[in-house]
Amino acid sequence: MLMMMMMMKKKGSKESLALLAFILASANCILQPTKEELNEISIQGEKYLDKQIEIAIDGVKEMKTVMQKSSEDHKLFVDALEKTKQQKEEAIHVAEEMEAKLAKEEEVCNDTMKALWEECKPCLKKTCVKYYSRTCSSGSGLVGRQLEDVLNRTSPFSIWINGERIDTLEQEGQRQTKQFKNLEEKYTEMEDGVDNIFSDSMKAADHINPPGFFFPKFLAPVTRRARSIHMLFHDPFHNFQSLFSPMMGMSRNLFGSMDSMTDLDSDAAPNEDGNVNEDVIITKPFGDGRMTCREIRRNSAGCIKFRDECEKCKEIQHLDCSGKKPLEGPLKEELEAALAMAERFTQQYNSLLKRFEEQMFNTSSILDMLNMQFGWVSSLANNTKDGIFSVKGVICTGDTEENPGGEKQTAETKVSVQLFDSPPINFTVPGDIPWTDPKFSEVVAQKALDRYKETSIVVK
């Protein structure tokens, strides 16, 4: 600066001295910007914001691309799930046919079997409730009442043929259907949310840049169903991952329960209180079956697995009034094969559900990351102002000075701006960037944009 003054003195130019005075006054915040200069700062800041909006729109397009890829994966999963479900139902149907044929073989034992069944039922109930109350924290009364209803509706042939496996498979199928429906609803919410953000972002692009931004045809905004997207997404920063987070824990319990049905899990481990966790697999004190407290509460028919503890139930299993030993013949083998196939397809369906849910959870995480960075642009869909950025005032607080402690205190510049449709935004920027510096407009525009995101968008 000293060298510049010496050069100007040598030239002896009044114009040069005036220019120097202007530069010094601007740099030291003595001279405030005029209305025309504020307008120029606004124009430069708006150019900077245009670039940020374009970057944000590109980010929203990336969200749409991620969702498009997810939709393709979603279709593959749905097709695989539907095929597996059909195979499972066919296997169960075959098992039911074999069960009916076996029951017909021993119709001659009908009266004997019914008599034994009436003595078997109270023992089953007593044994199951005793085992349940010893292991599980609560609900033994409910289990007892549910089991009594189940036993009164159940044929003794279920004991004779080991047919409760079909009931368990059918109840598991109902849970799977409910789980799939829930996942589909969450997926639709996520898909609708992305479409909503994308559509609003394209509107914002049209408002800010009338010729429009180019985007591939497959990314074009789509017309959704009649229900209002805005009822689901009140702001563009919906937390997509929250749609799937609670379900991850639920599915772990569900899949664990199904594992117990097919005897795949290990024995339970006590929790910190020394009690067996209801959601952890436990081993019966007899036999090699494994169940959970939750499983018994949901499916009291599982208590039939305790038949080996009751003499009258064991007698039913060994009845052979026809002398043909049907439980050792091909019909029983076909029944067991069909049940094994149905259980295998049930496990396969659960595995597909789990993979589908994990993929949706990962997709939602990516969408959240992109949305937090770029989703703000969709809030500009209803922006009605022609200009998007206007600097209303710049006030310098003076040169760098020392505070009472002797440390240097950097001066700050107070700025008031109007951004989009928001109320005036007031903030400060470092005083070491004079308003005459081209960088000043970018710093102010970015600070205003950051403040706009903080005050105008509420993250769920």
Side-chain angles (χ1 to χ4, degrees), residues 183-429:
L183 270 173
E184 283 289 88
E185 289 175 354
K186 299 298 184 183
Y187 179 83
T188 299
E189 286 189 37
M190 182 168 70
E191 189 176 36
D192 287 348
V194 172
D195 281 338
N196 184 44
I197 292 170
F198 182 78
S199 178
D200 283 350
S201 297
M202 294 306 106
K203 289 179 185 177
D206 289 341
H207 289 167
I208 295 166
N209 191 351
F213 294 90
F214 169 77
F215 49 90
K217 185 177 180 180
F218 79 91
L219 291 179
V222 296
T223 303
R224 302 299 297 170
R225 291 176 287 281
R227 67 192 182 94
S228 171
I229 306 299
H230 288 282
M231 292 180 67
L232 290 173
F233 295 89
H234 303 292
D235 61 69
F237 275 76
H238 189 90
N239 187 346
F240 293 110
Q241 202 170 47
S242 67
L243 293 172
F244 299 95
S245 296
M247 298 180 68
M248 293 296 285
M250 290 169 55
S251 65
R252 278 192 289 269
N253 291 335
L254 171 63
F255 302 136
S257 177
M258 186 56 204
D259 286 342
S260 70
M261 185 190 77
T262 52
D263 198 22
L264 294 178
D265 272 283
S266 58
D267 294 350
N271 59 23
E272 292 180 354
D273 298 325
N275 298 318
V276 175
N277 190 312
E278 290 194 349
D279 293 328
V280 178
I281 303 304
I282 56 178
T283 303
K284 294 193 298 183
F286 53 87
D288 59 357
R290 295 182 173 95
M291 303 171 69
T292 65
C293 298
R294 184 184 296 271
E295 181 187 1
I296 296 175
R297 286 198 302 273
R298 288 179 174 176
N299 180 16
S300 298
C303 287
I304 295 177
K305 294 179 181 179
F306 292 91
R307 57 184 170 270
D308 289 337
E309 287 293 290
C310 301
E311 289 299 322
K312 298 301 179 182
C313 299
K314 289 168 68 175
E315 287 183 33
I316 293 176
Q317 296 177 71
H318 297 101
L319 276 177
D320 182 20
C321 299
S322 65
K324 298 178 181 179
K325 297 184 178 181
L327 296 184
E328 299 176 14
L331 284 178
K332 187 61 163 52
E333 290 178 1
E334 290 182 47
L335 171 63
E336 290 296 330
L339 286 171
M341 184 176 294
E343 288 171 351
R344 185 168 67 252
F345 284 130
T346 298
Q347 280 292 334
Q348 185 176 326
Y349 191 96
N350 269 340
S351 178
L352 284 169
L353 269 182
K354 189 175 183 181
R355 284 170 51 201
F356 173 52
E357 184 178 356
E358 288 173 349
Q359 186 164 24
M360 293 307 98
F361 184 81
N362 293 336
T363 298
S364 68
S365 177
I366 295 171
L367 289 173
D368 276 340
M369 179 186 69
L370 292 170
N371 196 22
M372 289 296 294
Q373 288 181 272
F374 309 115
W376 61 268
V377 73
S378 65
S379 67
L380 307 181
N382 298 318
N383 181 56
T384 56
K385 298 178 77 74
D386 293 333
I388 63 172
F389 182 67
S390 176
V391 180
K392 300 298 183 181
V394 175
I395 301 175
C396 302
T397 59
D399 202 354
T400 301
E401 55 188 33
E402 291 187 359
N403 60 22
E407 298 177 352
K408 287 192 175 182
Q409 184 174 335
T410 304
E412 294 180 329
T413 302
K414 296 180 180 178
V415 183
S416 178
V417 304
Q418 181 86 40
L419 181 62
F420 309 126
D421 280 337
S422 71
I425 303 174
N426 302 313
F427 53 85
T428 61
V429 295

Side-chain angles (χ1 to χ4, degrees), residues 121-140:
K121 287 192 292 186
C123 179
L124 269 180
K125 177 182 175 182
K126 180 180 178 182
T127 303
C128 186
V129 171
K130 179 181 178 181
Y131 164 71
Y132 181 92
S133 60
R134 184 173 64 233
T135 308
C136 309
S137 58
S138 62
S140 58

